[in-house]
Amino acid sequence: MTTRGLRVRDARAAAARWVAQEAAAAPNFAGAFLTGSAAWADPGAVLPPTSDVDVAVVVTDPVAPPKLGKIPWDGVLVEVTYMSWDRLASAHDVLASCHLAGAFRTDTVIADPTGRLARLQAAVAAGFAERRWVRLRCADAESRITGGLAALDAHAPFHDQVTAWLFPAGITTHVLLTAGLRNPTVRLRYPAVRELLTSYGRMDVYEELLGLLGCAHLPRERVEAHLATMARAFDAAAAAARTPFPFSSDITPAARPVAVDGGLDLVARGLHREAVFWIAATYARCLKILAADAPGETGHRAGFADLAADLGIGSPDDLPRRAREVSAYLPRLRAVAEEIIAANPEVRDASAPGG
């Protein structure tokens, strides 16, 4: 529901107003900063109507409250996540995290009552492009792949099993985006890594990543059909949703421009294969909601089974093999990441011992 023509700086300002009015008065409030694409975008650029603004609200609690999710606010869809100070214990911890470091690469702090976030941001920005930290962040992303694949549960519902494989498989893009000092974005990870690998003349690797996901061969018409069936499941799940899930705010009428229209936008731009990851992820989430809150509504399962089959997962028995394929690719992925780090003119060695 982002207002068309809104500049990134104005969207950030709207998010800051939400923090000031809705979060800052809480006794556990310790600050807030931008994350995700809003943290990386050119402030003067137009925020796409298919995008939201991610905000992390820092709290003093040792365990952060559940994610608040997407909130329509002043013409912007603000996505709010709570984060404990414990996750930001030191600049070294943040610099080694593939998901946290990028949020502090530039000044993204929008509330800082103690000044601690500003000090952390300055330290992370100073070391962000150092080779040692880039390598540690790549290793962090790779560990998320291996950890995720190791947690596959053959007894879980099929849609949950596909999700448990899909996200680690998709983190292969984050290893390379991290090596290239690019945003390890969630929904748009494949368009982002396509742009990165194009710039390094490695479209061969890009086709390999799509092959791992199982969508390299899919024509536009097939992806459009899967998007249409997912959209119907989305509308049914959004109407039925009652049980809270961490992703619940992603399956609501307010989030439809991101989850559904965002896929349509990619297909319209000729990036139909790049749309498949989020189509599959969203479809699986919709089935999880329907299983909990509308168990009699089983008509959407067939469309998901067709999508999974197109990705090489005709049944749960295929998932261990697909997981092994991802694991077997990791040495190749690591080597390509090292090539990108070596060729990236922004990556530098530490300026001083311990610096």
Side-chain angles (χ1 to χ4, degrees), residues 99-151:
H99 290 313
L100 284 178
F104 296 99
R105 181 183 60 108
T106 58
D107 184 6
T108 59
V109 177
I110 54 178
D112 190 20
T114 67
R116 183 176 169 186
L117 277 176
R119 293 190 294 272
L120 176 66
Q121 188 276 319
V124 172
F128 181 78
E130 289 182 8
R131 194 177 314 274
R132 55 174 174 163
W133 297 118
V134 179
R135 284 176 168 155
L136 280 173
R137 292 197 295 272
C138 289
D140 177 43
E142 186 177 326
S143 73
R144 294 169 186 264
I145 298 172
T146 55
L149 293 176

Side-chain angles (χ1 to χ4, degrees), residues 50 70 187 227 230 234 250-252 255-264 278-279 282:
T50 55
K70 290 180 169 62
R187 181 175 66 87
L227 179 54
M230 182 274 278
F234 184 99
D250 293 331
I251 314 296
T252 63
R256 200 180 196 278
V258 176
V260 177
D261 297 349
L264 290 169
W278 204 241
I279 292 172
T282 302

Side-chain angles (χ1 to χ4, degrees), residues 5-12 38 40-47:
L6 192 70
R7 301 286 175 182
V8 169
R9 66 168 64 90
D10 298 323
R12 290 175 174 175
W40 293 75
D42 176 359
V46 173
L47 185 73

Side-chain angles (χ1 to χ4, degrees), residues 10-97:
D10 298 323
R12 290 175 174 175
R17 289 193 296 275
W18 181 89
V19 170
Q21 295 181 38
E22 302 294 326
N28 63 347
F29 179 76
F33 58 94
L34 298 165
T35 67
S37 58
W40 293 75
D42 176 359
V46 173
L47 185 73
T50 55
S51 293
D52 52 22
V53 178
D54 294 289
V55 173
V57 174
V58 184
V59 294
T60 55
D61 314 61
V63 178
K67 178 179 178 178
L68 195 56
K70 290 180 169 62
I71 303 165
W73 183 266
D74 281 1
V76 177
L77 198 60
V78 180
E79 177 149 4
V80 180
T81 302
Y82 291 104
M83 186 175 298
S84 170
W85 264 127
D86 291 352
R87 289 196 63 194
L88 306 172
S90 72
H92 284 197
D93 291 340
V94 175
L95 279 163
S97 168

Side-chain angles (χ1 to χ4, degrees), residues 167-254:
F167 277 90
I171 296 174
T172 54
T173 64
H174 288 173
V175 174
L176 300 184
L177 289 167
T178 297
L181 303 183
R182 304 285 183 96
N183 177 19
T185 183
V186 178
R187 181 175 66 87
L188 297 175
R189 63 186 70 188
Y190 283 91
V193 83
R194 183 182 192 274
E195 181 182 304
L196 171 75
L197 291 170
T198 298
S199 71
Y200 283 92
R202 297 308 307 267
M203 284 299 286
D204 58 322
V205 176
Y206 183 61
E207 292 297 324
E208 292 166 5
L209 295 182
L210 291 180
L212 281 181
L213 188 62
C215 64
H217 65 290
L218 290 183
R220 173 172 175 162
E221 294 75 17
R222 190 65 176 158
V223 175
E224 287 177 325
H226 289 313
L227 179 54
T229 56
M230 182 274 278
R232 289 192 288 272
F234 184 99
D235 292 336
R242 300 291 182 273
T243 303
F245 292 106
F247 56 81
S248 288
S249 70
D250 293 331
I251 314 296
T252 63

